[in-house]
Amino acid sequence: MTTTPPPPSPAPGPAQAPAGPLIMHGQYIKDLSFENPRAPQSLIEQTQPQLSLNVQVTNRQFDAKTFEVALSIEATAKTPKDEPLFMLELVYAGTVTLGDVPQDAFGPLLFIETPRLLFPFARAVVANATREAGFPPLNIAPVDFVALYRQQLEANGGKMPGVTPGGPVGHA
C-alpha cells in the first residue's frame, strides 16, 4: 500500500490580490409604493397612457469608504384626460465599499458605476410591479448615468453631489 504525501501548503507570501475599486455588499428594496387609485376602471379602459418617469441617484456615507447608493425611480401614468392610472415609487439601494482609489474617483464610482450595477434589478422590480398590478410591464429604457452625473455636478457647482457623512442610514 502506497500513500501519497499531502500537497504542500502554500508558502507564506504577499496577501491576496488587491480588491477592486468597488465592492458591492448587498442590494435591496428600501421603499416600494404602487397606487392604482382608479382600479378596476383603470384596467378596463384601453387608452394609451401618458407616462412620466424620474430617476435620481443619491448616497449616504457610513464611513470613509463605505456608502449606501440609492436609485430612486418615480413613474406615473395618466389617461389623456389627465386622470391617474398608476403611481409607482421605488428606492432600490446597495451598500458598497470603495477600494484604494483617489478621492476624485469617488463620484464616478458612486454615481455612475454603482447605479449601473443596481439598475437592471430596479428595472425588473418596476416591470414586475406594474405587471402584477394588471398593467403591461413598464420596461424602462437604459439610463445614461454619465449624463445624469454631469447634470448633478453642474447643479452643485462642480462639487460631488449628495455625499452625506455619518449617521445611521435608514428610512424616516
Side-chain angles (χ1 to χ4, degrees):
M1 181 156 128
T2 61
T3 60
T4 57
S9 59
Q16 295 178 351
L22 181 74
I23 299 167
M24 177 75 70
H25 297 289
Q27 300 182 38
Y28 43 90
I29 295 173
K30 190 164 180 170
D31 187 21
L32 175 62
S33 172
F34 191 94
E35 296 179 37
N36 187 355
R38 295 183 56 241
Q41 186 63 30
S42 61
L43 302 174
I44 297 169
E45 297 172 351
Q46 296 296 319
T47 61
Q48 182 67 30
Q50 297 171 350
L51 291 171
S52 171
L53 182 69
N54 184 26
V55 177
Q56 292 183 326
V57 179
T58 58
N59 73 60
R60 296 191 62 185
Q61 190 169 6
F62 290 120
D63 61 36
K65 292 201 174 199
T66 303
F67 297 83
E68 175 188 60
V69 177
L71 190 56
S72 299
I73 299 173
E74 294 179 9
T76 58
K78 295 182 178 183
T79 67
K81 296 178 184 177
D82 206 35
E83 297 169 321
L85 289 174
F86 69 78
M87 293 158 283
L88 178 137
E89 295 176 3
L90 170 67
V91 178
Y92 192 83
T95 54
V96 296
T97 298
L98 303 180
D100 257 347
V101 296
Q103 185 78 25
D104 62 348
F106 280 31
L109 287 171
L110 294 173
F111 289 93
I112 299 170
E113 296 307 321
T114 302
R116 281 183 183 163
L117 295 171
L118 296 173
F119 181 75
F121 300 97
R123 181 179 187 229
V125 170
V126 169
N128 286 333
T130 53
R131 182 180 46 81
E132 291 295 328
F135 295 97
L138 177 56
N139 291 312
I140 302 171
V143 174
D144 183 354
F145 290 106
V146 173
L148 188 59
Y149 177 60
R150 287 181 180 150
Q151 288 173 357
Q152 288 178 309
L153 274 178
E154 194 174 296
N156 286 328
K159 291 191 286 185
M160 187 170 73
V163 176
T164 53
V169 175
H171 187 234

